[in-house]
Amino acid sequence: MSNLAQAVVYYAKKWMGYSEANGKFKEIIDTYNTLNPLPRGYKLKYTDEWCATFVSTVSIECGMTDIIPTECSCERQIKLFDDLGCWIEDDAYVPLPGDIIYYRLGNKDSGDCTKWANHVGIVIGTYEGKIRVIEGNKDDAVDYRYIFRWDPRIRGYGLPDYEK
């Protein structure tokens, strides 16, 4: 794992325990709102969904906004990764630490997920067919999720160019 990918994982883990229940999640939103200009000119509210905001905040903290796009919408963040040539939708891909994973939670379909992504996280690692992810706004907190690599809810991956 590159040093930059390690930094992304480190900064993501730093937010563990931040939640809506203890009010600490507001620091994540406040950090995102320091962007100047704000993506689409939209200042995030504490009542908004904040999973993509979490990924953006980690990007801001690491000084990597040029390779991990900042956005508060999963689909818009996917478009930005695609614009950078760093988006992949391939069920055979084995994600690496520091990759950004997008999925459609609640998707009951089998097969390839092509629907609107509604959640995102940062890959911590892949072990025995499971992906360990850290997410913001998972049950209103920063927490881990384990998801099978072939889970039909996975839409794809943003692959930051850590070598850039």
Side-chain angles (χ1 to χ4, degrees):
M1 174 170 36
S2 79
N3 289 339
L4 294 179
Q6 285 178 339
V8 167
V9 169
Y10 170 81
Y11 277 100
K13 289 179 178 180
K14 185 182 108 167
W15 294 99
M16 283 297 294
Y18 283 58
S19 70
E20 291 183 21
N22 64 23
K24 293 174 87 175
F25 83 106
K26 291 178 181 178
E27 291 180 43
I28 294 166
I29 292 172
D30 292 343
T31 299
Y32 175 86
N33 283 335
T34 65
L35 285 169
N36 189 10
L38 283 165
R40 295 179 287 133
Y42 181 73
K43 184 175 181 180
L44 209 67
K45 301 179 197 101
Y46 297 137
T47 55
D48 290 331
E49 299 296 326
W50 50 279
C51 57
T53 303
F54 170 72
V55 172
S56 294
T57 295
V58 171
S59 175
I60 293 164
E61 281 199 316
C62 293
M64 295 186 204
T65 58
D66 58 331
I67 62 170
I68 302 175
T70 54
E71 178 54 66
C72 60
S73 158
C74 294
E75 279 295 319
R76 290 181 189 261
Q77 202 168 42
I78 288 170
K79 168 91 170 75
L80 293 170
F81 268 116
D82 195 35
D83 290 348
L84 291 171
C86 297
W87 172 250
I88 186 170
E89 290 184 47
D90 181 351
D91 294 340
Y93 178 71
V94 179
L96 301 171
D99 287 350
I100 313 301
I101 183 172
Y102 294 84
Y103 18 74
R104 169 105 185 147
L105 296 181
N107 184 30
K108 303 287 186 203
D109 298 340
S110 60
D112 194 24
C113 177
T114 58
K115 293 184 178 178
W116 193 269
N118 64 3
H119 204 65
V120 60
I122 298 170
V123 174
I124 301 299
T126 304
Y127 314 97
E128 298 178 1
K130 288 184 183 177
I131 306 165
R132 185 176 185 203
V133 181
I134 189 167
E135 304 171 352
N137 205 26
K138 180 185 182 284
D139 300 323
D140 302 326
V142 177
D143 204 356
Y144 293 112
R145 176 185 309 273
Y146 291 89
I147 187 167
F148 286 107
R149 271 192 45 230
W150 54 86
D151 191 302
R153 298 175 295 174
I154 297 173
R155 169 74 188 283
Y157 302 90
L159 308 178
D161 184 357
Y162 293 117
E163 303 304 317
K164 183 177 180 180

